[in-house]
Amino acid sequence: MFQMKKQVQAYFVEARWLHENYMPTMDEYMRISLISSGYPLLTCISFVGMGDIVTKDAFERLNKDPKIVKAASLIARLMDDIVSHKVCVLCFLSNILDRSPTNFY
């Protein structure tokens, strides 16, 4: 339930950004998009499907955001962003060039 709650909260933040026409910094974008990508939740769901092999301790460790889940989420998120790279590139460029993203059009 914890991972699902984090997923929904991340979706809410992204919806607020869209509604407010807010362009997040690269750090903000990555912090939220790593969760909203669904890979941490998918990891948890995969554990559920393993049955008796997985213990309660494994789920508790998963809730502490282990580095391996973060790394896998980062790789998967960036692979997804390659396909739809516009948001990621604009966030990055606006941080590097210290400009408003609307000036790029």
Side-chain angles (χ1 to χ4, degrees):
M1 287 300 283
F2 178 73
Q3 292 295 334
M4 190 172 291
K5 183 177 178 181
K6 284 175 59 175
Q7 178 94 15
V8 171
Q9 288 172 340
Y11 285 155
F12 181 73
V13 170
E14 287 182 347
R16 188 171 359 117
W17 288 345
L18 180 65
H19 180 71
E20 295 173 357
N21 201 21
Y22 175 73
M23 182 61 67
T25 64
M26 188 65 177
D27 290 336
E28 289 174 322
Y29 172 74
M30 291 307 292
R31 185 172 35 88
I32 296 300
S33 69
L34 290 180
I35 298 167
S36 70
S37 68
Y39 295 101
L41 179 61
L42 181 62
T43 305
C44 182
I45 291 169
S46 298
F47 278 16
V48 171
M50 293 176 142
D52 295 337
I53 298 172
V54 180
T55 63
K56 182 179 178 183
D57 182 51
F59 284 105
E60 289 172 359
R61 278 193 241 155
L62 185 61
N63 286 337
K64 294 179 184 177
D65 295 324
K67 288 182 181 181
I68 188 134
V69 174
K70 283 184 182 181
S73 297
L74 177 64
I75 291 167
R77 174 82 258 173
L78 293 176
M79 286 174 45
D80 286 346
D81 283 345
I82 288 171
V83 176
S84 60
H85 67 282
K86 187 176 181 180
V87 173
C88 188
V89 169
L90 286 178
C91 290
F92 180 73
L93 288 177
S94 67
N95 288 335
I96 295 296
L97 300 176
D98 197 28
R99 291 188 190 173
S100 170
T102 55
N103 294 338
F104 292 117
Y105 297 111

